[in-house]
Each structure stands twice: as structure tokens, then as C-alpha cells.
Amino acid sequence: MTDQTQASRTETTRPSESTHGAGSGENRRESRRTEPGVRGRTTIADGVVAKIAGLAARSVPGVQGMGGGFSRGMGTVRERVPGAGGRSVTGGVKVEVGEVQTAVDLSIIVEYGFPIVELAGDIRTEVIAAIERMTGLEVVEVNITVTDVKLPDEEEEEQEPERRVV
């Protein structure tokens, strides 16, 4: 035990304790690389992870939309309210974020004709890659619930034109 303690003290010398010259700058940089947790903490909010997951899932061809019946209905209402921010990126997304890991639950609507099992695999790949790349969190699971299939003959919801009172 004593040898390890002495070795760590030698590696993390302070600038005032080290000898001046080319080696002193290298010791300071090495110390910073080995002790990042001592210098501060980064916290990532659940909403951030949910947005990343929602955008990644929506980018996969074959995903018609996100959310179940109720959440889609609320999203439609929100889209029509001026100043409400438009369509929610996090609709149909639930996340649990820990210190180093996260889990994601997605509710999706699939376009007719896309193989659901393959689509789910593509969604998992995209969501995991995006979250891990952007946050550094380990994604332990991505659960996907298919809530609907968009058929080719279903008409798109027509939006009423805005009416202004003059």
C-alpha cells in the first residue's frame, strides 16, 4: 500500500513542487487527464436525452410518427395553439437517466410495408448511437412499442387554414 501511495503522489505534483523545464508542463497535463471528476460535474437532464432519442428515432425511414393515441391527440392540439412551440420532439419518448446509464422507451407509428422487427433494430441502432455519442451515457435498453400502422390509403390530417379576425 505504501508504494502505491508514494507513486501517485509523484505523478500528481503541483507546479510549485516540480522542477522547472520541459517536463513540468507534461506533469500538469497528465494530472488533468487522470483526474477529470475532481474538476467539476456534468449533469444531463432527462429532457435532453429524450430529445436526442426522439430525433434519432424519427430519422429512421419507416417511422411515420411517435406516441400513442392520447399523446398524439395532445400533440395535435399543441400544434394548433399559437406560441405553444409546435410539434413536440419528445412525444412518445420516456427515459430514465442515471449517472452513467440510461434506458429509453419509445412508442412509434410504422408506415405500412416496413418490416417491424427490422425497423425496430434500425431504431435501436440510431437511438443508441446518438445518445452515446452526444452524452457519453451507456444505453442499457431501448424498448419499442408499435402503437399503430399508417396505411397508404389513410389521408393525412388536413390542417385548417388560420383564420384572422379583422
Side-chain angles (χ1 to χ4, degrees), residues 24-97:
S24 65
E26 291 175 22
N27 285 343
R28 282 194 304 267
R29 274 179 275 172
E30 183 64 32
S31 172
R32 287 184 187 144
R33 277 184 261 166
T34 58
E35 301 177 25
V38 176
R39 300 180 187 275
R41 180 202 295 287
T42 302
T43 304
I44 300 171
D46 293 8
V48 172
V49 177
K51 282 184 179 182
I52 294 168
L55 287 171
R58 283 178 173 81
S59 73
V60 177
V63 176
Q64 170 63 28
M66 303 280 294
F70 180 74
S71 65
R72 281 194 331 214
M74 292 305 294
T76 302
V77 169
R78 186 176 47 252
E79 287 176 25
R80 294 183 180 177
V81 174
R87 190 169 67 155
S88 171
V89 181
T90 59
V93 181
K94 292 181 185 175
V95 297
E96 292 181 25
V97 181

Side-chain angles (χ1 to χ4, degrees), residues 13-25:
T13 57
R14 294 184 181 183
S16 61
E17 296 172 353
S18 64
T19 59
H20 64 286
S24 65

Side-chain angles (χ1 to χ4, degrees), residues 60-127:
V60 177
V63 176
Q64 170 63 28
M66 303 280 294
F70 180 74
S71 65
R72 281 194 331 214
M74 292 305 294
T76 302
V77 169
R78 186 176 47 252
E79 287 176 25
R80 294 183 180 177
V81 174
R87 190 169 67 155
S88 171
V89 181
T90 59
V93 181
K94 292 181 185 175
V95 297
E96 292 181 25
V97 181
E99 289 186 27
V100 295
Q101 294 179 326
T102 187
V104 180
D105 293 327
L106 302 172
S107 296
I108 65 166
I109 302 157
V110 176
E111 289 182 34
Y112 179 80
F114 281 84
I116 293 173
V117 174
E118 290 177 25
L119 180 61
D122 293 345
I123 293 168
R124 281 188 185 93
T125 300
E126 286 296 317
V127 169

Side-chain angles (χ1 to χ4, degrees), residues 1-12 35:
M1 285 253 181
T2 308
D3 293 335
Q4 292 175 345
T5 306
Q6 290 174 349
S8 67
R9 285 184 188 149
T10 307
E11 292 174 3
T12 57
E35 301 177 25

